[in-house]
């Protein structure tokens, strides 16, 4: 059984992002980049399935600039067997990534696609759902537990009212939530082994996909600075401030 795991290169979650002076986007010059945390959870879940003997091969995928190779090498250090990079300088939007994934699903024929529910840079939460629609595959989003047996995937997912359990026939698409697992640390021996694992490089045209953006960013701006808090002597003063200053009651 083969699993496809898409991973995205994003600004590290520990870094405070800054907006460019011309407000065209986020400044990523000389900024630490890393794998999207939700995708890291997806890689970990695929590796655990392989350790249980359910999965035979894990294929990591990423799309973007040449530096995305580093993210794929990290995925292979975590346990992926090989990687595919679709190299492009175009700013990729969720629909374009979903189309690339659909082409790869048709080529690789994975039994399961596991990816993070969203990326921490754009928070779009769209790629998994778009892929399922384009490839006509069953899907389960926000997975907090995943089991694979007898050609089915049993997914427990978090919903507003509690937990929902779904059974889907493979092949299928699953997006991961934070509570699915805790990713392991990358060890130095596995980093060295990852350098020898195969990494295939393609262009969008090789997959017959047009990745031209359909949306245009007009302006990116930082949120307004929050005003300092104040202390009030009693409840009556609090109610007065909420009514007259904050105007929330």
């Amino acid at each position: 059984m083969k699993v496809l795991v898409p991973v995205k290169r994003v600004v590290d979650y520990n870094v405070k992002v800054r907006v460019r002076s011309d407000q065209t986007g986020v400044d990523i010059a000389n900024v630490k980049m890393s794998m999207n945390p939700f995708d890291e959870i997806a890689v970990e879940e695929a590796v655990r399935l392989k350790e249980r003997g359910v999965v035979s091969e894990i294929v990591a995928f990423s799309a973007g600039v040449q530096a995305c190779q580093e993210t794929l090498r990290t995925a292979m250090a975590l346990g992926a067997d090989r990687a595919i990079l679709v190299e492009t300088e175009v700013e990729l939007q969720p629909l374009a990534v979903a189309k690339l994934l659909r082409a790869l699903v048709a080529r690789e024929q994975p039994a399961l696609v596991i990816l993070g529910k969203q990326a921490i840079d754009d928070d779009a939460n769209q790629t998994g759902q778009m892929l399922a629609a384009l490839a006509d595959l069953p899907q389960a989003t926000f997975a907090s537990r995943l089991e694979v047996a007898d050609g089915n995937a049993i997914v427990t997912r978090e919903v507003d009212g509690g937990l929902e359990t779904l059974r889907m026939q493979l092949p299928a698409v699953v997006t991961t939530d934070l509570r699915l697992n805790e990713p392991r640390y990358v060890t130095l021996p596995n980093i060295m082994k990852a350098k020898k694992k195969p990494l295939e490089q393609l262009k969008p045209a090789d997959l017959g996909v047009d990745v031209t953006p359909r949306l245009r960013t007009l302006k990116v701006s930082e949120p307004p600075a929050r005003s300092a808090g104040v202390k009030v002597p009693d409840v009556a003063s609090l109610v007065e401030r909420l009514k007259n200053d904050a105007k929330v009651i």
Side-chain angles (χ1 to χ4, degrees):
M1 173 176 157
K2 184 189 298 184
V3 174
L4 178 64
V5 185
V7 295
K8 186 176 183 181
R9 179 176 178 263
V10 299
V11 176
D12 189 87
Y13 66 92
N14 288 313
V15 174
K16 179 177 174 57
V17 294
R18 300 186 183 279
V19 176
R20 294 175 189 158
S21 58
D22 58 2
Q23 294 187 318
T24 58
V26 174
D27 187 6
I28 59 173
N30 301 316
V31 171
K32 181 183 178 183
M33 309 292 284
S34 62
M35 185 188 301
N36 178 46
F38 290 103
D39 295 338
E40 197 172 358
I41 292 171
V43 175
E44 173 66 24
E45 192 64 23
V47 173
R48 293 188 183 189
L49 289 172
K50 186 177 181 181
E51 290 173 344
R52 294 201 295 266
V54 177
V55 170
S56 58
E57 185 182 25
I58 302 171
V59 182
F61 158 82
S62 190
V65 297
Q66 187 70 18
C68 290
Q69 284 193 39
E70 301 172 9
T71 307
L72 289 171
R73 292 294 179 192
T74 301
M76 289 190 285
L78 287 168
D81 298 293
R82 59 186 176 92
I84 300 173
L85 171 63
V86 176
E87 186 182 354
T88 176
E89 297 291 335
V90 176
E91 180 184 353
L92 292 173
Q93 295 173 351
L95 180 58
V97 178
K99 288 180 177 180
L100 292 172
L101 283 169
R102 177 186 60 177
L104 278 178
V105 166
R107 192 183 82 159
E108 296 287 335
Q109 295 292 309
L112 192 62
V113 181
I114 309 177
L115 66 160
K117 68 173 185 177
Q118 65 193 72
I120 62 172
D121 52 1
D122 58 14
D123 280 330
N125 183 19
Q126 296 174 348
T127 304
Q129 293 89 327
M130 287 178 170
L131 169 62
L134 291 172
D136 194 22
L137 296 174
Q139 64 171 315
T141 56
F142 316 138
S144 59
R145 186 176 180 184
L146 172 62
E147 297 178 15
V148 178
D150 301 324
N152 292 281
I154 303 170
V155 178
T156 301
R157 59 189 300 269
E158 298 183 356
V159 295
D160 291 339
L163 297 176
E164 178 183 57
T165 301
L166 303 175
R167 180 189 294 270
M168 306 177 299
Q169 194 170 21
L170 299 178
V173 177
V174 175
T175 70
T176 63
D177 205 349
L178 281 174
R179 278 162 286 281
L180 181 59
N181 61 52
E182 184 175 344
R184 67 195 67 190
Y185 290 104
V186 180
T187 62
L188 182 58
N190 286 336
I191 292 175
M192 302 307 294
K193 291 177 183 177
K195 294 181 179 181
K196 299 180 181 179
K197 292 182 179 180
L199 194 159
E200 182 181 3
Q201 296 190 49
L202 302 171
K203 297 288 186 182
D206 298 332
L207 298 173
V209 177
D210 180 12
V211 295
T212 303
R214 297 188 173 204
L215 304 175
R216 183 166 60 92
T217 302
L218 299 180
K219 185 175 72 170
V220 177
S221 58
E222 294 186 2
R226 296 179 60 181
S227 58
V230 296
K231 291 183 179 181
V232 293
D234 50 42
V235 175
S237 300
L238 173 62
V239 172
E240 182 183 355
R241 281 185 172 273
L242 290 175
K243 184 177 181 180
N244 299 323
D245 297 346
K247 299 185 184 303
V248 295
I249 59 174

